[in-house]
Amino acid sequence: MNQLQFFNSFSLPIYKLSQLGANLQWREFDSTSPCLWECITIGVQLVFLGILLFQILQNFVCWIWNSFNGESKSTDQAAENCPITQKLSISYRASVGCSFLILAIHVLMVFVLQNGSVSQCNSRIEVLSSEITRVIAWGGAIFAVFRVLRDKSVKYPWILRGWWFCSFVLLIVHVGLDAYFGNVKHLGVQDYAEFFSILPSIFLSGLSIYGRTNIVFNVHNGLEDPLLTEKCLNQERDEKDSPYGRATPFQLVTFSWLNPLFAVGYTKPLEQVDIPNVCKIDSAKFLSHSFDDTLNFVRKKNNSTKPSIYETIYLFGRKKAAINAVFAVISAATSYVGPYLIDDFVNFLTQKKMRTLSSGYLLALAFVGAKTIETIAQRQWIFGARQLGLRLRAALISHIYQKGLRLSNRSRQSCSSGEILNYMSVDIQRITDFSWFLNTVWMLPIQISLAMYILHTNLGVGSLGALAATLVVMSCNIPMTRIQKSYQTKIMEAKDNRMKTTTEVLRNMKTLKLQAWDTQYLQKLESLRKVEHHWLWKSLRLMGISAFVFWAAPTFISVTTFGVCVLLRIELTAGRVLSALATFRMLQDPIFNLPDLLSALAQGKVSADRVGSYLHEDEIQQDSITYVSRDLTEFDIEIENGKFSWDLETRRASLDQINLKVKRGMKVAVCGTVGSGKSSLLSCILGEIEKLSGTVKISVYQDADIYLLDDPFSAVDAHTGTQLFEDCLMGALKEKTIIYVTHQVEFLPAADLILVMQNGRIAQAGGFEELLKQNIGFEVLVGAHSQALESIVTVENSSGRPQLTNTEKEEDSTMNVKPKNSQHDLVQNKNSAEITDKGGKLVQEEEREREEVLVTSNYWIAWACPTTSDTKAAIGINIVLLVYSLLAIGGSLCVLVRAMLVAIVGLQTAQMLFTNMLRSILRAPMAFFDSTPTGRIINRASTDQSVLDLEMAMRLVWCALAIIQMTGTIVVMSQVAWEVFAIFIPITAACIWFQQYYTPTARELARLSGIQRTPILHHFAESLAGAATIRAFNQEDRFLKTNLGLIDDHSRPWFHNVSAMEWLSFRLNLLSNFVFGFSLVLLVTLPEGTINPSLAGLAVTYGINLNVLQATVIWNICNAENKIISVERILQYSKIKSEAPLVIENCRPPSNWPQDGTICFKNLQIRYADHLPDVLKNISCTFPGRKKVGVVGRTGSGKSTLIQAIFRIVEPREGSIIIDGVDICKIGLHDLRSRLSIIPQDPSMFEGTVRGNLDPLEKYTDQEIWEALDKCQLGALVRAKDERLSSSVVENGENWSVGQRQLFCLGRALLKKSSILVLDEATASIDSATDGIIQNIISQEFKDRTVVTVAHRIHTVIASDFVLVLSDGRIAEFDSPKMLLKRDDSFFSKLIKEYSTRSQNFNSLANQRHD
């Protein structure tokens, strides 16, 4: 069969369309044009030369026009003034050399043809014309290459790249056709010429895809040197730090640019500093700006404020996706060369006596050449898909972060922190995963079309059965995809709810432990996980059925096809059957990938919709504040008729009729009762609250000359507060404009203007004395403060101690006590080290059974079918088909069993690991949460858990499957020709060496990638919590830059990890191609009769997929190794050192314990870590039962630590705490904490309802809850709401003021009615009037109970029965207030003097200021 007949077959579709009545086979078709190839070549070359000539003429005309207008001279002068030097790259030099080499080959061919060398084309003119035009075309190509230097182009012109690529395609097609259809007895001059042209053509085709010249042009201009130098330095630094960015085309193809990194990773464990930077175009900064530009383009194009996320992603990644598509299509097309040639290879083995060895070797060369091209293209599109995923992830994460900093208050309430973190951790991962499957979209039709063409070539009409079966199988995806999409939506909703609650629990873990609610919230999280588990099981079950359908698809298609052939009496020879089987095996990949594609499509669609919806959320108003120059106004802050609301849906005003003018340098104090709108007033100045009407003007300064302070003095003691006010507000900031919210009346007289807030309005405004004279509300706040002072004076007088003069007061107003570090500062993370031991192994044995059955079924049909049409079959075709069908059905049923077992065992394992981790975390000591970033825990609960739920089991199963498939392939090939083992031994050794060389580097890269992902989430969570502060300080750019840096820190190990996979895969693929080529040469060389041609064809059938199988094995093992890090990370948090047991059965206190509430401290010593000093030192004292005990001291003296010790938040290092005769260290934590009540310093509220926040355990009736609300001054406020007790509480209680949240905490204590109540700065965030009411309520409700009060407001402890004064972790004093005040040198006396004289000091300070 000669070359001509192939081109006849190539033109068969056109011929059949014009000759509808013909009934000829394509192999028998004969054309009247013997020089078709020369005509095609001449046509392509003339097109190239025509376009090139047109461009030259166009440039010539432009040059003449510019010369006529006198522009050329000025341009030349400019060029002389700005000389440009150039540094030629290796790739450019190589392109010139390859072009000259190919030109020389064709010039030589012209001389050879003139000397009468024969050609398959009988027309001497057409042959010479073809070669001459080729010489001219390559001359034009060289001209275009040199024009790159003249034009100073950074990329090769598109016409040149097109010519290089087309020349390569034509050459490969020509060589392949000669190899297959030439049937020549010897190699001619043309064959050698084409052979020597292959390598330079391959290089030039790669360069055409790469596109860049890599030539560096340097402009030397004195004026521009500084700017250009910086730019060049940045570019040079980027190229230096990124080996990928400066890699040559050869290094890009072979991934050898990674060699230096492997050299480092093989000698020592990699650190983050050892990993090079990503290329500039892969950096987060570049990608963020590019995505932002694309988003703005789509917004302007569609004239929409909500641009489509799909269109934006398409435009953002289309160029890279198109390049990947080219490689994917080449890979898919070349993968079918093998099945196409199998029939001819079997015929060659059957008819060896009639064929020459050279034709067999050419067939082997065609096989190996196609596999090599397939390997290169496959590795490039897979790497490109991962790179596209990296770019999408970096761009989307940066924009989700940007959006988080700009969300309006309403949007912030609708999008919880857990949900937003889910977008960043889970949804973006699913979107980027789809970029991997994207190439399947266009590979699938090409693969199916080629498969149908090959089947039609071998089986004729029988291929219609294969087409029908394929369409039936693929049509099954429509309902399954629809259902799977709905499941994915439910899964993400359930995951959002779980992560929302998880984030809330982690944020308020201290409150849960103090209130003994941790068990309740553990059950809540487990119930939410149960809902998620329900939808996960449904999804995995459907995926299992989908896997069964599509794994059984090749079997179903093959049985259907062979059945149709039998019915139509189409002869089934071994060659045809093996070619069909090889085609079905190739078709198995697209069909097998289809359910994954559809699942990824469903997941990606849901995630893209969620991210798009989030990016369309309302942002904070940018125009709510008008900024004016300070030169144009005398007011720093001016609000006219302002009306503001936190809730835009109801448009209920939170602030109304706000009119305020603040002159430069004024000190403005804001006071009022709880919930009156004090903090909201500051928010409206910052633009944080939505403006409904009015005008807000702020003067603009270069320096920060306007300060807003929201009650900063409540959390510090009197001395510290006084010092802060005097040194900062009245000292360093005396010339600045300050608005400060305060509940402490003693700070009011010093203000130039006092604003009294009431029900969201400014009820009063004026100076201190002026407001007192108005007598319409302000005097209530002052009166409460005066009563507190009177109580102190009364105690002082009753102590019999003489009053001090002002001079004495000033001298004694300070105490030199050094504060200790807080717990948060002292605790160090002892659990932050990453665990390196692996675990959580899932073993699936069912895979082996299924694959053995499949290999057996193929072996059976290959052995039973005759090799040629003249050979008599050993067994009837009906029996053959029946046995094959039974074996295939058995294999398919094994697949179904395997799929269900994988779904069940995998999900059960994931659930078990989740439960263990969750219980371990919630039982961890408080020190763990103080020292562990929340993002680190959330990352495990979201991203890592998602890997276990949906990926881990299948990854391990695919590893087993790929290994079994490759083992079966090797066994079949070895059985046919045992000599193959001779090459398997060194190749296997090489594979093992590559694997061992690769593993240390890859393992550390994967681990670093996981570690570097956590800071992104942690930084995001912190930024969300402090978004208002970031905006107030105008630090968005700094935080955005930090986020981009964290993204790059994660991208570096991730990018080099996936590149390392391709490095290994490329090398092992080449080795497998070598084994396959050696096997083919061996089969060709062995004498006839040595092997069965049918079994030899079966070996080739399996050998075709050897490189794919090997790549699959490597990919799955490496991926499983990387994914199993998620298992390690979850196991790490499943082994956290736990707190003491919740209940100790043999040491349970009586049911009525504690009755008296006596608390005895015996030699108590506490430290936060073994290597740190003691925080409490030898504390020994007794709090009598049913008494009120106040605990005071400087900031950092150990007050809060003592309270934590009572609740065993921290455990004593030595000593004991005994309550009513029971050593609290010997009973369970739940028994202890559930019997005590506490109102903590930081008020915490949970998302839900008012009732759920007061009574999460549902122990009390509505009437009891209403009574508690009335007592804590919240009853009227809750009754005013439509939902009453079911009124909503958003995340962290953001829709309630800080003071109101503190009152809710008081309500919890009132409901609990414990014998011991601890107040840890419980009234720090409420005004003096409300504080007085609360103190009276506590005195009445807990009159016969033990009350321990930690306070900075001295009047709250002055009426206590006993006062404990702590200093530097030791007991300074412990006695009744009356006894302590008798001594002038006592610590308590000095604290009293500070507090009682502070108002007088501030009054005098105010008088001096006003004077």
Side-chain angles (χ1 to χ4, degrees):
M1 186 177 293
N2 55 24
Q3 176 186 5
L4 172 61
Q5 288 175 302
F6 172 80
F7 293 111
N8 298 333
S9 68
F10 185 78
S11 59
L12 180 62
I14 301 176
Y15 173 80
K16 284 191 173 181
L17 288 175
S18 61
Q19 304 288 338
L20 293 175
N23 187 19
L24 299 173
Q25 295 294 328
W26 66 274
R27 296 175 185 270
E28 300 171 356
F29 176 68
D30 189 14
S31 174
T32 59
S33 176
C35 299
L36 178 61
W37 180 259
E38 280 70 17
C39 295
I40 294 174
T41 304
I42 292 172
V44 173
Q45 292 160 0
L46 289 177
V47 170
F48 166 68
L49 288 172
I51 297 174
L52 187 63
L53 182 62
F54 175 78
Q55 288 188 342
I56 294 173
L57 290 175
Q58 185 181 30
N59 292 336
F60 181 71
V61 171
C62 292
W63 178 77
I64 293 176
W65 178 262
N66 293 335
S67 299
F68 180 77
N69 291 331
E71 296 179 6
S72 178
K73 185 176 180 181
S74 62
T75 304
D76 292 339
Q77 289 177 350
E80 291 177 2
N81 294 332
C82 302
I84 298 176
T85 60
Q86 56 207 14
K87 182 180 179 181
L88 301 183
S89 63
I90 297 176
S91 61
Y92 177 78
R93 297 172 189 268
S95 68
V96 175
C98 291
S99 299
F100 271 112
L101 176 60
I102 296 176
L103 176 64
I105 290 173
H106 289 298
V107 169
L108 181 62
M109 281 300 302
V110 171
F111 288 108
V112 172
L113 290 173
Q114 283 183 343
N115 292 331
S117 178
V118 295
S119 174
Q120 293 180 359
C121 177
N122 297 326
S123 174
R124 184 180 180 85
I125 296 177
E126 291 191 15
V127 174
L128 279 173
S129 300
S130 174
E131 285 299 330
I132 291 172
T133 54
R134 197 172 297 180
V135 169
I136 298 172
W138 278 105
I142 292 173
F143 172 77
V145 171
F146 281 111
R147 275 192 64 87
V148 168
L149 293 177
R150 185 181 182 280
D151 297 338
K152 301 170 183 61
S153 301
V154 295
K155 287 188 175 182
Y156 292 104
W158 66 269
I159 180 62
L160 180 61
R161 294 164 63 184
W163 165 248
W164 283 343
F165 189 77
C166 291
S167 299
F168 168 71
V169 172
L170 289 174
L171 180 62
I172 291 299
V173 171
H174 198 190
V175 171
L177 301 182
D178 279 346
Y180 179 46
F181 296 102
N183 197 19
V184 293
K185 297 183 179 180
H186 63 276
L187 297 176
V189 178
Q190 274 188 309
D191 297 318
Y192 286 109
E194 290 171 349
F195 177 76
F196 285 115
S197 299
I198 287 178
L199 289 179
S201 293
I202 290 175
F203 173 79
L204 292 176
S205 66
L207 206 57
S208 70
I209 297 172
Y210 179 69
R212 295 199 295 264
T213 62
N214 291 333
I215 302 174
V216 179
F217 298 99
N218 295 317
V219 181
H220 300 281
N221 186 325
L223 293 176
E224 297 182 359
D225 272 350
L227 295 176
L228 291 177
T229 299
E230 182 179 359
K231 183 177 181 181
C232 292
L233 285 175
N234 290 337
Q235 181 180 359
E236 184 179 352
R237 183 167 60 250
D238 289 340
E239 291 180 353
K240 180 180 178 181
D241 293 344
S242 174
Y244 172 76
R246 64 176 187 271
T248 63
F250 177 79
Q251 290 175 326
L252 292 174
V253 170
T254 61
F255 298 93
S256 55
W257 54 272
L258 278 168
N259 290 349
L261 183 63
F262 277 109
V264 175
Y266 189 69
T267 56
K268 71 180 186 71
L270 286 177
E271 301 292 340
Q272 183 73 8
V273 294
D274 299 323
I275 305 173
N277 288 337
V278 293
C279 187
K280 179 182 178 182
I281 58 175
D282 291 327
S283 66
K285 180 180 180 181
F286 179 88
L287 295 170
S288 178
H289 290 165
S290 177
F291 193 85
D292 199 39
D293 293 340
T294 307
L295 204 64
N296 292 332
F297 172 78
V298 175
R299 187 180 289 115
K300 293 178 181 177
K301 173 188 171 185
N302 300 331
N303 194 22
S304 171
T305 57
K306 296 182 178 180
S308 168
I309 186 70
Y310 297 102
E311 185 177 1
T312 304
I313 291 176
Y314 163 72
L315 294 175
F316 173 76
R318 61 180 176 179
K319 183 178 178 181
K320 184 65 178 176
I323 296 174
N324 295 343
V326 172
F327 283 117
V329 169
I330 293 174
S331 175
T334 52
S335 67
Y336 280 87
V337 172
Y340 185 79
L341 297 177
I342 280 182
D343 189 19
D344 294 277
F345 191 76
V346 173
N347 291 336
F348 167 80
L349 295 178
T350 305
Q351 303 169 2
K352 265 191 176 181
K353 292 181 179 179
M354 303 169 57
R355 306 283 291 272
T356 62
L357 284 178
S358 61
S359 60
Y361 291 142
L362 286 175
L363 275 174
L365 179 61
F367 272 109
V368 176
K371 297 307 292 182
T372 302
I373 296 174
E374 179 193 353
T375 295
I376 294 173
Q378 184 185 52
R379 300 272 62 85
Q380 289 302 313
W381 83 253
I382 290 176
F383 172 74
R386 295 299 180 189
Q387 193 175 29
L388 178 59
L390 177 145
R391 294 177 181 179
L392 275 174
R393 181 174 64 246
L396 289 173
I397 287 178
S398 66
H399 275 71
I400 287 177
Y401 183 86
Q402 288 180 30
K403 190 71 177 184
L405 294 183
R406 300 169 183 168
L407 283 178
S408 66
N409 180 71
R410 177 169 163 268
S411 299
R412 187 66 184 83
Q413 291 183 6
S414 63
C415 300
S416 68
S417 300
E419 288 177 329
I420 302 175
L421 288 171
N422 241 3
Y423 298 148
M424 186 173 284
S425 59
V426 178
D427 289 294
I428 288 183
Q429 184 62 43
R430 292 186 171 183
I431 293 173
T432 55
D433 283 346
F434 179 69
S435 66
W436 161 266
F437 292 99
L438 186 62
N439 292 289
T440 309
V441 174
W442 35 73
M443 288 174 66
L444 193 63
I446 294 175
Q447 290 172 314
I448 293 176
S449 300
L450 289 173
M452 292 301 111
Y453 174 72
I454 295 172
L455 290 174
H456 178 71
T457 301
N458 288 284
L459 303 178
V461 183
S463 62
L464 296 177
L467 179 62
T470 303
L471 293 177
V472 168
V473 170
M474 299 185 71
S475 64
C476 294
N477 71 71
I478 297 175
M480 286 192 290
T481 304
R482 186 180 295 114
I483 298 172
Q484 186 66 261
K485 182 181 176 181
S486 66
Y487 287 166
Q488 290 301 323
T489 303
K490 295 292 185 182
I491 288 173
M492 294 310 298
E493 289 176 357
K495 188 181 291 290
D496 280 347
N497 291 333
R498 176 173 65 85
M499 289 308 303
K500 185 190 303 181
T501 305
T502 301
T503 306
E504 196 170 42
V505 165
L506 294 175
R507 187 191 303 116
N508 301 299
M509 183 57 71
K510 189 172 183 180
T511 298
L512 296 182
K513 290 183 178 296
L514 290 171
Q515 300 287 353
W517 291 346
D518 42 357
T519 303
Q520 177 74 12
Y521 275 83
L522 171 64
Q523 295 173 357
K524 182 178 181 179
L525 283 171
E526 288 181 339
S527 65
L528 291 172
R529 171 64 182 179
K530 188 176 181 181
V531 176
E532 184 183 6
H533 180 276
H534 170 75
W535 293 110
L536 281 169
W537 164 238
K538 286 195 169 186
S539 176
L540 290 172
R541 186 175 59 193
L542 183 61
M543 289 172 64
I545 297 173
S546 177
F548 162 69
V549 171
F550 290 103
W551 266 107
T555 301
F556 172 70
I557 294 172
S558 59
V559 170
T560 303
T561 304
F562 295 147
V564 170
C565 290
V566 171
L567 291 176
L568 298 179
R569 300 186 182 280
I570 297 174
E571 189 174 17
L572 294 177
T573 63
R576 292 178 177 178
V577 168
L578 290 172
S579 179
L581 287 177
T583 305
F584 294 148
R585 284 176 63 82
M586 299 303 297
L587 198 60
Q588 185 180 22
D589 282 337
I591 294 179
F592 172 68
N593 288 332
L594 190 59
D596 293 330
L597 168 65
L598 298 175
S599 176
L601 178 62
Q603 294 179 7
K605 175 71 167 57
V606 171
S607 294
D609 288 339
R610 284 158 49 85
V611 172
S613 176
Y614 167 75
L615 292 178
H616 292 159
E617 288 286 348
D618 294 333
E619 297 184 359
I620 197 165
Q621 283 182 328
Q622 301 295 330
D623 58 348
S624 60
I625 298 177
T626 303
Y627 294 95
V628 296
S629 174
R630 65 175 299 178
D631 300 330
L632 301 178
T633 178
E634 63 175 321
F635 300 104
D636 275 356
I637 300 172
E638 187 174 357
I639 306 176
E640 296 180 358
N641 299 320
K643 185 177 182 180
F644 308 87
S645 174
W646 288 114
D647 188 359
L648 283 182
E649 290 185 355
T650 61
R651 299 185 69 85
R652 182 183 300 168
S654 304
L655 293 175
D656 197 6
Q657 299 179 12
I658 302 297
N659 290 279
L660 175 64
K661 292 185 178 181
V662 180
K663 290 185 178 180
R664 191 166 299 122
M666 285 184 66
K667 303 295 183 288
V668 180
V670 183
C671 61
T673 57
V674 172
S676 59
K678 302 182 296 296
S679 297
S680 296
L681 182 64
L682 299 186
S683 296
C684 83
I685 297 173
L686 291 171
E688 293 294 323
I689 185 172
E690 299 288 342
K691 184 180 70 174
L692 301 180
S693 62
T695 304
V696 181
K697 295 181 181 179
I698 306 293
S699 62
V700 180
Y701 289 78
Q702 290 183 348
D703 190 15
D705 281 2
I706 301 177
Y707 290 80
L708 306 179
L709 308 175
D710 194 355
D711 201 12
F713 312 110
S714 296
V716 295
D717 58 83
H719 169 71
T720 306
T722 301
Q723 194 167 6
L724 285 174
F725 193 89
E726 292 178 349
D727 295 346
C728 295
L729 271 72
M730 297 302 178
L733 304 179
K734 62 181 179 180
E735 303 297 332
K736 308 294 185 181
T737 302
I738 301 175
I739 300 181
Y740 60 95
V741 172
T742 183
H743 289 126
Q744 302 183 41
V745 175
E746 55 268 27
F747 293 129
L748 296 179
D752 300 305
L753 176 67
I754 300 173
L755 304 179
V756 182
M757 300 298 297
Q758 185 175 1
N759 298 325
R761 299 184 179 185
I762 300 177
Q764 294 175 268
F768 189 81
E769 298 295 335
E770 179 185 353
L771 293 179
L772 285 177
K773 293 176 182 178
Q774 292 179 5
N775 198 27
I776 56 173
F778 179 68
E779 75 284 349
V780 177
L781 297 174
V782 178
H785 180 67
S786 301
Q787 291 177 2
L789 288 176
E790 288 175 4
S791 65
I792 294 175
V793 173
T794 301
V795 174
E796 284 185 300
N797 293 335
S798 64
S799 65
R801 185 170 50 83
Q803 298 295 307
L804 299 178
T805 64
N806 287 340
T807 304
E808 293 172 327
K809 292 175 182 177
E810 292 175 1
E811 290 176 352
D812 293 338
S813 63
T814 59
M815 294 173 59
N816 297 321
V817 179
K818 296 181 180 179
K820 298 296 292 182
N821 292 330
S822 65
Q823 176 185 356
H824 187 272
D825 296 329
L826 292 176
V827 178
Q828 293 188 355
N829 182 13
K830 301 173 70 175
N831 302 292
S832 61
E834 297 288 338
I835 295 177
T836 57
D837 297 331
K838 293 190 176 182
K841 209 171 186 178
L842 303 176
V843 181
Q844 303 296 333
E845 297 294 340
E846 294 76 25
E847 275 306 311
R848 183 178 301 277
E849 180 184 2
R850 185 260 166 191
E851 189 54 35
E852 287 176 353
V853 173
L854 182 57
V855 173
T856 303
S857 62
N858 289 342
Y859 190 93
W860 161 261
I861 198 167
W863 173 81
C865 289
T867 56
T868 64
S869 57
D870 299 329
T871 307
K872 184 178 179 181
I875 301 176
I877 192 64
N878 294 333
I879 301 297
V880 172
L881 190 60
L882 176 62
V883 174
Y884 176 77
S885 301
L886 291 176
L887 290 171
I889 291 171
S892 301
L893 291 176
C894 291
V895 171
L896 179 61
V897 174
R898 182 212 73 200
M900 290 296 105
L901 285 175
V902 169
I904 294 171
V905 176
L907 190 56
Q908 285 181 347
T909 305
Q911 180 67 19
M912 177 191 69
L913 291 172
F914 172 80
T915 302
N916 292 341
M917 177 183 69
L918 179 64
R919 293 178 178 176
S920 175
I921 289 175
L922 264 69
R923 292 287 296 116
M926 199 62 215
F928 169 78
F929 300 98
D930 290 335
S931 58
T932 304
T934 304
R936 192 175 295 169
I937 303 174
I938 290 174
N939 195 18
R940 285 163 170 81
S942 59
T943 306
D944 292 326
Q945 187 60 45
S946 184
V947 170
L948 263 68
D949 289 339
L950 296 171
E951 295 185 50
M952 196 67 247
M954 289 306 300
R955 295 289 182 194
L956 294 174
V957 168
W958 288 342
C959 285
L961 171 64
I963 292 172
I964 293 170
Q965 283 183 316
M966 191 170 72
T967 304
T969 298
I970 295 173
V971 168
V972 170
M973 294 176 66
S974 302
Q975 183 180 2
V976 174
W978 62 267
E979 294 86 354
V980 174
F981 269 117
I983 195 63
F984 268 135
I985 295 174
I987 293 299
T988 302
C991 289
I992 293 173
W993 184 87
F994 274 123
Q995 183 80 24
Q996 291 179 345
Y997 186 71
Y998 156 86
T999 300
T1001 301
R1003 184 186 297 117
E1004 294 306 316
L1005 287 173
R1007 186 163 286 113
L1008 287 171
S1009 177
I1011 293 172
Q1012 293 299 328
R1013 184 174 59 231
T1014 299
I1016 299 176
L1017 299 178
H1018 179 62
H1019 179 253
F1020 188 32
E1022 288 186 332
S1023 299
L1024 283 176
T1029 304
I1030 294 172
R1031 291 191 293 266
F1033 282 91
N1034 196 26
Q1035 293 296 307
E1036 293 99 325
D1037 290 342
R1038 181 168 71 89
F1039 277 79
L1040 288 173
K1041 185 177 180 181
T1042 301
N1043 179 62
L1044 295 177
L1046 293 174
I1047 294 173
D1048 281 340
D1049 287 343
H1050 173 248
S1051 296
R1052 285 163 55 197
W1054 189 92
F1055 173 76
H1056 288 87
N1057 185 35
V1058 297
S1059 303
M1061 289 185 191
E1062 299 309 314
W1063 180 93
L1064 179 65
S1065 299
F1066 178 79
R1067 281 149 181 77
L1068 298 191
N1069 280 170
L1070 290 184
L1071 290 176
S1072 67
N1073 290 343
F1074 179 75
V1075 172
F1076 180 54
F1078 180 83
S1079 304
L1080 291 174
V1081 172
L1082 189 64
L1083 294 175
V1084 171
T1085 307
L1086 289 175
E1088 184 180 7
T1090 305
I1091 56 174
N1092 185 334
S1094 299
L1095 298 182
L1098 181 65
V1100 176
T1101 300
Y1102 277 85
I1104 288 172
N1105 271 358
L1106 187 60
N1107 70 315
V1108 177
L1109 288 175
Q1110 193 173 47
T1112 304
V1113 169
I1114 297 164
W1115 173 256
N1116 285 321
I1117 289 177
C1118 295
N1119 218 329
E1121 191 174 40
N1122 293 340
K1123 295 294 183 183
I1124 211 163
I1125 291 176
S1126 294
V1127 180
E1128 295 178 19
R1129 289 158 58 81
I1130 288 179
L1131 285 174
Q1132 176 194 9
Y1133 277 21
S1134 301
K1135 301 174 183 177
I1136 303 171
K1137 184 178 179 182
S1138 176
E1139 283 186 307
L1142 293 177
V1143 175
I1144 301 176
E1145 291 296 338
N1146 57 354
C1147 292
R1148 302 205 65 173
S1151 58
N1152 59 350
W1153 177 88
Q1155 280 187 319
D1156 295 330
T1158 302
I1159 305 175
C1160 179
F1161 301 94
K1162 293 184 178 180
N1163 193 30
L1164 182 66
Q1165 298 184 40
I1166 287 181
R1167 62 175 58 171
Y1168 288 114
D1170 293 337
H1171 63 283
L1172 296 174
D1174 289 341
V1175 180
L1176 293 181
K1177 307 164 187 175
N1178 300 318
I1179 302 296
S1180 296
C1181 64
T1182 300
F1183 295 170
R1186 305 178 189 275
K1187 299 293 183 180
K1188 308 296 183 291
V1189 180
V1191 181
V1192 296
R1194 294 275 185 255
T1195 302
S1197 59
K1199 304 184 297 296
S1200 294
T1201 303
L1202 182 69
I1203 300 305
Q1204 292 182 56
I1206 295 175
F1207 286 82
R1208 288 179 66 188
I1209 297 298
V1210 289
E1211 297 284 355
R1213 185 174 71 86
E1214 289 185 15
S1216 61
I1217 302 175
I1218 298 173
I1219 298 179
D1220 282 2
V1222 176
D1223 188 343
I1224 65 172
C1225 293
K1226 295 182 180 179
I1227 63 175
L1229 292 178
H1230 192 271
D1231 284 338
L1232 169 66
R1233 294 168 180 170
S1234 62
R1235 310 291 179 90
L1236 310 178
S1237 293
I1238 184 171
I1239 305 176
Q1241 183 175 1
D1242 300 321
S1244 301
M1245 293 187 73
F1246 299 86
E1247 185 174 3
T1249 63
V1250 169
R1251 195 189 200 290
N1253 271 273
L1254 288 172
D1255 180 25
L1257 305 183
E1258 299 181 355
K1259 287 184 176 181
Y1260 307 103
T1261 64
D1262 286 358
Q1263 183 179 354
E1264 291 174 312
I1265 293 175
W1266 279 117
E1267 290 176 0
L1269 286 172
D1270 289 332
K1271 290 176 181 177
C1272 64
Q1273 309 296 299
L1274 289 172
L1277 181 63
V1278 176
R1279 285 188 180 91
K1281 295 182 177 292
D1282 296 335
E1283 299 87 356
R1284 298 168 73 85
L1285 289 180
S1286 298
S1287 299
S1288 66
V1289 177
V1290 302
E1291 184 182 18
N1292 206 31
E1294 293 292 339
N1295 57 337
W1296 300 83
S1297 71
V1298 177
Q1300 289 167 344
R1301 289 179 233 166
Q1302 197 114 45
L1303 294 177
F1304 272 110
C1305 294
L1306 173 62
R1308 295 169 184 164
L1310 292 172
L1311 278 173
K1312 203 170 184 180
K1313 297 178 181 178
S1314 301
S1315 297
I1316 297 176
L1317 172 65
V1318 177
L1319 293 88
D1320 188 2
E1321 292 292 343
T1323 58
S1325 298
I1326 57 180
D1327 58 275
S1328 298
T1330 308
D1331 184 21
I1333 297 172
I1334 297 302
Q1335 295 300 328
N1336 291 332
I1337 294 173
I1338 291 175
S1339 300
Q1340 295 174 6
E1341 297 294 325
F1342 296 91
K1343 59 184 178 182
D1344 56 348
R1345 292 180 172 85
T1346 302
V1347 179
V1348 180
T1349 304
V1350 176
H1352 290 132
R1353 292 180 176 178
I1354 298 299
H1355 70 269
T1356 59
V1357 298
I1358 195 69
S1360 300
D1361 300 305
F1362 293 90
V1363 172
L1364 173 67
V1365 182
L1366 293 176
S1367 176
D1368 195 21
R1370 302 179 186 274
I1371 296 180
E1373 297 164 346
F1374 180 60
D1375 210 333
S1376 66
K1378 184 176 182 180
M1379 297 301 297
L1380 291 176
L1381 288 173
K1382 287 183 178 180
R1383 294 189 294 111
D1384 294 342
D1385 60 344
S1386 70
F1387 280 77
F1388 189 63
S1389 295
K1390 293 180 180 180
L1391 290 174
I1392 290 291
K1393 283 186 289 184
E1394 289 175 5
Y1395 191 81
S1396 61
T1397 62
R1398 186 163 63 175
S1399 296
Q1400 298 179 18
N1401 291 339
F1402 281 115
N1403 283 330
S1404 62
L1405 182 65
N1407 293 332
Q1408 295 173 7
R1409 173 177 167 78
H1410 295 310
D1411 291 340

